[in-house]
Amino acid sequence: MSPTDAAACIDNRPCPPSATAETVQAPGKVALVLLALAMGGFAIGVTEFAAMSVLPDFAAGLGVDEPTAGHVISAYAAGVVVGAPILAVLGARLPRWLLLIGFMALFAVGNALSAIAPTYEWMLAFRFLSGIPHGAYFGVAALVAASLVPLRLRTRAVSTILMGLTVATVIGVPVATAVSHEFGWRWTFAIVSLLAVVTMALVALFAPRDPAHADASPLRELGALKRGQVWLTLGVGAIGFGGMFAVYAYLASTLTAVTGVGAEVLPWVFAMFGLGMLSGNVLGAWAADRFGMTAAGGLLLWSVAALALYPFAAPHLWSMLIVVFLIGGGGGLGSILQTRLMDVAGDAQTLAAALNHSAFNTANAIGPLLGGMAVAAGWGWTSTGWVGVALSLGGFAVWVVAWLTGRKTAQRDA
């Protein structure tokens, strides 16, 4: 790649053709592969977000209070943070299709065990296990998706996999919440385990059987950790996404205690969040293909504004529906950061792509933890909105550093 091309990858512009997809497939083939990969995203989305929506149910079932039960969510996130880089490095020499099947197998086992967890302590352990393959799956799936399409469609292909996750927030989470209330929270995790098995079958049928890259190695993957732009991009996600999770983790409790709605209304509010996330994912992918990393800064400021409205909206259902939709829109940040990491990671694509979800779930650990601390300190359920504002502003501050240093690097290399 020429110095000019390299600068394009670092600055706020798309990578040149020499830095992108391995092969471009026929549209019908691409659609089947993306469907298979998105099914995995759907399964992961259900378990990640439904764990928050059914938090009051499993808190009661396991005999702990709700802020304590929030640590179960953090345990899953910790599994993602730890598992993504380890699995990405260890699997460097394996074909991507085989890695995807293996990751989903481990995910299925973790969720099946979560469904039968006898105590709170065992639930913590099983949720940690469930989270281990999460980031590695999304990272490898994103690389497969990007390899199938032209450069100009790269972010939209990646966003299709994340679309599975966002569709889960629209359909899967409300259904899982209803199932939890009707039949018990354990069924939520059992259904996720079944979805993971379906994903394994679809990947086996449709994913391209490309061999591992001849030069792939754990050492080459670890090379991503030497790049400052990789760390800054991960920092944007690890802090900035925490704002959304601080609110979402305790949304059910806020709706019950502050808004004053019954359990039958909760699925509709969570569906509204999912619609916002779906919209943000579509618009974020379009903005990333057009404006690059600049789109991430805009979405972070969007999140700041939406989260600031949350405490004022909480007493009224109609205003909560609107604000929850707006907060969900901030979820479009994921696909932007995913392709940004592809731009700045050089040869260490698998590790960098997987680390995006380590960052995402660092946010998933930090947000509920800080939100729970605010509630436990007596500041009320709506205080999670202000926690979210602080985290989104922190993510924006990191984005500013990444943007400025990226421009300086590009100017130096030009």
Side-chain angles (χ1 to χ4, degrees):
M1 195 188 313
S2 69
T4 303
D5 288 345
C9 285
I10 294 172
D11 198 7
N12 303 305
R13 292 173 284 135
C15 271
S18 58
T20 187
E22 297 163 8
T23 53
V24 177
Q25 302 285 338
K29 173 66 173 177
V30 170
L32 290 173
V33 177
L34 293 180
L35 173 64
L37 300 177
M39 177 59 72
F42 181 80
I44 290 173
V46 172
T47 199
E48 183 171 24
F49 288 96
M52 302 179 198
S53 70
V54 304
L55 186 148
D57 297 336
F58 71 75
L62 296 173
V64 296
D65 59 37
E66 291 174 26
T68 301
H71 297 161
V72 169
I73 298 168
S74 297
Y76 178 90
V80 181
V81 172
V82 172
I86 292 175
L87 293 182
V89 170
L90 292 180
R93 289 194 172 100
L94 294 176
R96 289 172 180 170
W97 67 272
L98 190 58
L99 286 173
L100 292 171
I101 293 174
F103 296 155
M104 273 291 114
L106 180 57
F107 182 74
V109 170
N111 280 278
L113 291 172
S114 299
I116 60 174
T119 65
Y120 168 71
E121 290 74 19
W122 278 111
M123 187 64 167
L124 284 173
F126 293 150
R127 295 314 293 154
F128 178 84
L129 175 65
S130 300
I132 287 175
H134 171 134
Y137 175 85
F138 270 125
V140 173
L143 293 175
V144 171
S147 74
L148 301 174
V149 298
L151 175 66
R152 69 182 186 278
L153 301 177
R154 181 183 53 159
T155 307
R156 273 168 274 189
V158 171
S159 73
T160 301
I161 295 143
L162 296 178
M163 192 80 71
L165 188 150
T166 56
V167 169
T169 63
V170 179
I171 300 173
V173 173
V175 170
T177 304
V179 167
S180 176
H181 293 154
E182 186 68 24
F183 303 106
W185 60 269
R186 295 181 185 276
W187 280 100
T188 298
F189 299 105
I191 291 170
V192 169
S193 184
L194 179 61
L195 290 172
V197 173
V198 172
T199 300
M200 292 169 62
L202 291 175
V203 170
L205 285 172
F206 301 125
R209 300 298 180 95
D210 297 332
H213 194 284
D215 296 327
S217 70
L219 188 61
R220 191 175 82 160
E221 290 298 330
L222 289 171
L225 302 181
K226 299 178 182 178
R227 300 172 180 267
Q229 282 294 317
V230 168
W231 285 107
L232 287 170
T233 304
L234 294 172
V236 172
I239 300 171
F241 257 128
M244 182 181 74
F245 285 115
V247 165
Y248 191 90
Y250 302 101
L251 180 57
S253 300
T254 304
L255 288 165
T256 303
V258 180
T259 313
V261 300
E264 71 281 357
V265 176
L266 299 185
W268 296 102
V269 181
F270 282 102
M272 187 61 71
F273 175 90
L275 286 172
M277 198 169 183
L278 182 63
S279 301
N281 191 50
V282 172
L283 293 176
W286 171 84
D289 282 334
R290 188 175 178 87
F291 303 111
M293 187 60 167
T294 304
L299 266 181
L300 285 165
L301 292 178
W302 171 284
S303 293
V304 169
L307 290 162
L309 293 173
Y310 181 76
F312 304 103
H316 310 287
L317 179 59
W318 66 269
S319 55
M320 278 291 272
L321 289 170
I322 296 171
V323 170
V324 164
F325 176 87
L326 296 176
I327 292 172
L333 186 63
S335 57
I336 299 174
L337 298 181
Q338 188 78 71
T339 51
R340 174 65 172 178
L341 284 167
M342 292 179 188
D343 290 349
V344 299
D347 292 333
Q349 292 287 305
T350 303
L351 177 59
L355 283 173
N356 186 43
H357 296 276
S358 288
F360 189 88
N361 281 273
T362 297
N364 194 3
I366 292 172
L369 177 63
L370 296 181
M373 290 172 63
V375 173
W379 295 344
W381 293 110
T382 60
S383 65
T384 57
W386 299 118
V387 172
V389 168
L391 288 169
S392 294
L393 283 173
F396 181 75
V398 178
W399 175 85
V400 170
V401 175
W403 189 78
L404 290 174
T405 56
R407 287 182 64 86
K408 288 181 181 178
T409 301
Q411 290 168 0
R412 184 181 67 243
D413 295 339

